[in-house]
Structures are given as C-alpha cells and as structure tokens.
Amino acid sequence: GKDGYRHYMEKELHEHPLVIGQTLQRMIDPATRKVVLPDMPCDIGAIRRCVITACGSAFYAGMVGRYWLEEIARLPVDIDVASELRYRDPPLEAGSLGLLISQSGETADTLAALRSLRNAGLPVLSILNAEHSTMARESDAVLGTVAGPEISVASTKAFTAQLTVLACLTIGVARAGGVLGDAQEEELVSALLDLPSRAAEIFSFGDDIRAMASVVAEARDVLYLGRGSAYPVAMEGALKLKEISYIHAEAYAAGEMKHGPISLIDKTVPIVATIPSGALFEKTLSNLQEAKARGGRLLAFTDERSAHRLNAIAERTIALPHVHPFVTPIIQTIAVQILAYETALLKGTDVDQPRNLAKSVTVE
Ligand code: F6R
C-alpha cells in the first residue's frame, strides 16, 4: 500500500534515504570502508572503454556515470539511448565493457541493445532493479539496485539507486585501474556513506519546493540548466516534469544556452537551475546571470555554501545540504523530482499513472 502517502510516487520519494543506504550496504564493506564489486564479467582493471546504454531516466543515470567514470576512473565512455545504439552498428573495440542500466530489466530497446553488444563479443554488466528479469538472465554480470518494487510510473528511488551503484562502480574501476589512491577512495566512500542522512534533510524543504512549484505550474514551458554532472540531473528534472505534470520542459547544458535557447527566455519561461558548489559553479552562475539579464525568472537548486551567491539573481533559491562535489547529483536529483511531484499535485494530474505511459516498455 501507500503507507499513508497520497501517491506511490510520494512514498517512493520518501524512500530515497533508505534505498541509497541499502544499496551502499551491498557495495561497501563496513569494516574496511572499501567498495566490493561482485564477480565482474571481465578484468575491470584492464577495460579500455565502456559503452553505456539505457532508456529514459536510466539513460540520464548513465550520463552521470559517464562524468564519473571519465573523471575519476579515467575510462573513456560512449553513451547512447538504447533505441539508437541497437541500430547504429558502431565499431566496438576489443577490451570494451557494455554497461546497461534498467529498473525493470525488461525494456525492449535496452534488451535488444544488450543482445547486440553481446553478439559483438562485449562482456555486458547490467545495473538492474529487477534481479529476476530477462536482462538479468542474459547479462554476464549484474549489479543490483536495492530499491525494492517501484510502483509509480515515474521513476524516482530506482534512479538514485542507479546513481549509487554507478558511484561505487566508478570507485571500484578506478581502484582496479590503478588511478585511485587509498586516501582518495576513503574521501569518496565517506561522501557516499554521508548520503542517506543528507538525503533525509531534503524533506525539510517541502514549503520552499512547493513555492517553486507554484511558479512552475503556471508556465507552459520550463527550461532546466546545469553543467557537468548537474546537466543530466537537469535532464532528469525536465523529463519528470513532462511526464507527470504535462508541462513542456527542456534541459540544456548551461553553456549551450547562448547557442539558441536564450531566444526563448522571457518572464513566462521559468528557468530551473541545478547549480551545486563545485568546480563548475562560477561558469554556471555566469550563464544564469545572462539569463537573468534577459528577463528570465530563475529558480535555483544550490547548497548552503553557495546560496548567498544566487539570492541576488534568483527569484527562489533552495539551499540543499552541502555535500562532497562527487555526490551532488544524487542530492540534486531528489530535489528536482520533488519539484515535479509538487507541480503535478498543483496541476491535478494522475501522478502515479500519467496518460500514455506504461511502467515497463516491453515493445519497441
Ligand atoms: C522516467 C521513466 C522512464 C524509464 C524508462 C526505462 O520516469 O520511468 O523513462 O526510466 O522507460 O525503464 P527501465 O529502467 O525499466 O529500463
């Protein structure tokens, strides 16, 4: 049941801290504080390239994974949506690993991409929530997201569990590849172990997020902007808003705004910015200042450390808990998902069963 929540989506949003914690328990040895990867389909220290594929939200999780694997594990990554990859016939180098991400383990395009990667001779590792699914049976190895059943059509907790697994996988691959020292591993693991309690704090921002939602709910179009690993978070926020509130939303890499979408900006198009503290903060801020100068209404998700920098330009600023830059996409994701949920409530849509959508897309 819904345990007293109004919707499964609301219940599942509240399960974020638990699900992140359970997933970490499965992947980090509490005694040594080291990431422990189960049997891998190949020598992960020797992988030369990684090909990631998935659909929808799971694809955005993969995009966050790309930033992590490239930056921290120094592993070249290709990523594409499964519906494209399955027909692209790209040349695949020996020494590559196929990495699939799916909540259901049954998505038709992702399954077809899995088969084509394996036919090309790649070992395939899948990050799955449904551990008894078709993809689980057909993969060379599986990393489970310990999210429990997800009933709401819009994915929430499964997505953050996917990010949690990808973060641990990044640490494991980086260590195996000899590019992560003990001290750095300890720093990243601490950041992960800190997450369940920091994620729980996000629920104290309900009033602030509802105030933001009242701006978003009035709009016909919404622009989401972010850079680096906050860019796929912006994409996830825009997808969730479209799915459940039926408001048109697009996400752009903040630096791309001046190559086109800036012409959309006026006071009727709110801009939701995912802008955590970190190396790309100043760059993103200057993009937002440009948007503000053109009359845009800014709604910013940042953190305690940087909120004062946004107050002058943003109509609403939410100062989320400050966390290590590595794990900011996980915190930011929860916040943009709640924004979509609160907006859908104001619009009165069928939150758990949005029109035209199915939980598991088993046809092409
Ligand atoms: C978004 C959503 C979909 C799924 C996509 C992939 O909220 O639910 O975009 O993420 O259909 O589904 P799985 O992960 O089951 O392969």
Side-chain angles (χ1 to χ4, degrees), residues 54-60 101-108 110 127-128 135 150 152-156 158-159 162 236 239-240 243-244 337 357-361:
C55 299
S57 279
F59 170 71
Y60 300 143
I101 307 165
S102 176
Q103 188 284 126
S104 64
E106 303 295 344
T107 303
T110 312
I127 297 176
L128 303 174
M135 281 182 225
E150 193 179 62
S152 156
V153 165
S155 184
T156 54
F159 180 85
Q162 287 159 355
E236 162 67 3
L239 176 67
K240 218 104 294 180
E243 268 187 298
I244 62 168
Q337 290 176 344
L357 283 168
K359 181 66 183 159
S360 181
V361 183

Side-chain angles (χ1 to χ4, degrees), residues 210-247:
R210 272 187 288 280
M212 241 191 209
S214 66
V215 176
V216 172
E218 297 298 315
R220 200 189 62 177
D221 308 284
V222 182
L223 204 55
Y224 282 68
L225 297 176
R227 273 182 187 257
S229 62
Y231 167 42
V233 173
M235 297 169 108
E236 162 67 3
L239 176 67
K240 218 104 294 180
L241 189 74
K242 283 182 271 215
E243 268 187 298
I244 62 168
S245 76
Y246 313 147
I247 295 171

Side-chain angles (χ1 to χ4, degrees), residues 15-303:
E15 287 171 350
H16 273 306
L18 178 76
V19 159
I20 295 167
Q22 285 171 346
T23 303
L24 289 173
Q25 254 172 36
R26 175 120 31 124
M27 301 201 70
I28 296 173
D29 179 334
T32 61
R33 294 169 67 90
K34 295 266 176 208
V35 169
V36 182
L37 297 177
D39 277 349
M40 290 284 107
C42 57
D43 174 3
I44 55 156
I47 310 167
R48 290 213 292 271
R49 200 168 192 92
C50 182
V51 181
I52 304 181
T53 191
C55 299
S57 279
F59 170 71
Y60 300 143
M63 282 195 62
V64 174
R66 174 175 71 174
Y67 285 93
W68 285 336
L69 285 165
E70 289 182 344
E71 188 183 320
I72 297 166
R74 310 306 304 155
L75 184 67
V77 174
D78 293 319
I79 179 164
D80 202 354
V81 289
S83 56
E84 286 299 315
L85 181 73
R86 65 181 290 191
Y87 296 116
R88 256 176 53 210
D89 196 19
L92 296 164
E93 279 175 59
S96 300
L97 171 72
L99 182 59
L100 300 205
I101 307 165
S102 176
Q103 188 284 126
S104 64
E106 303 295 344
T107 303
D109 283 320
T110 312
L111 182 59
L114 181 160
R115 289 174 179 157
S116 69
L117 291 174
R118 291 197 74 215
N119 285 340
L122 260 56
V124 170
L125 172 63
S126 296
I127 297 176
L128 303 174
N129 198 40
E131 294 188 41
H132 301 286
S133 54
T134 310
M135 281 182 225
R137 282 193 302 279
E138 295 197 18
S139 301
D140 296 293
V142 173
L143 289 172
T145 47
V146 195
E150 193 179 62
I151 310 289
S152 156
V153 165
S155 184
T156 54
K157 59 177 181 167
F159 180 85
T160 46
Q162 287 159 355
L163 293 184
T164 306
V165 170
L166 284 160
C168 293
L169 178 65
T170 299
I171 293 171
V173 171
R175 187 181 58 219
V179 296
L180 189 73
D182 285 344
Q184 210 191 345
E185 176 167 2
E186 167 58 27
E187 180 185 325
L188 300 181
V189 166
S190 298
L192 284 168
L193 293 174
D194 191 31
L195 269 175
S197 61
R198 310 321 301 275
E201 292 168 27
I202 300 174
F203 296 95
S204 65
F205 294 93
D207 289 343
D208 296 317
I209 299 180
R210 272 187 288 280
M212 241 191 209
S214 66
V215 176
V216 172
E218 297 298 315
R220 200 189 62 177
D221 308 284
V222 182
L223 204 55
Y224 282 68
L225 297 176
R227 273 182 187 257
S229 62
Y231 167 42
V233 173
M235 297 169 108
E236 162 67 3
L239 176 67
K240 218 104 294 180
L241 189 74
K242 283 182 271 215
E243 268 187 298
I244 62 168
S245 76
Y246 313 147
I247 295 171
H248 170 240
E250 289 304 324
Y252 269 88
E256 273 292 290
M257 195 185 58
K258 59 168 65 106
H259 301 286
I262 199 163
S263 69
L264 290 171
I265 292 175
D266 67 16
K267 62 182 185 325
T268 69
V269 183
I271 297 163
V272 176
T274 48
I275 174 171
S277 298
L280 296 172
F281 179 85
E282 298 297 336
K283 292 276 173 207
T284 313
L285 187 66
S286 80
N287 298 131
L288 300 183
Q289 280 157 343
E290 286 162 8
K292 171 73 181 175
R294 283 153 187 88
R297 294 176 74 176
L298 292 182
L299 310 173
F301 287 105
T302 183
D303 51 51

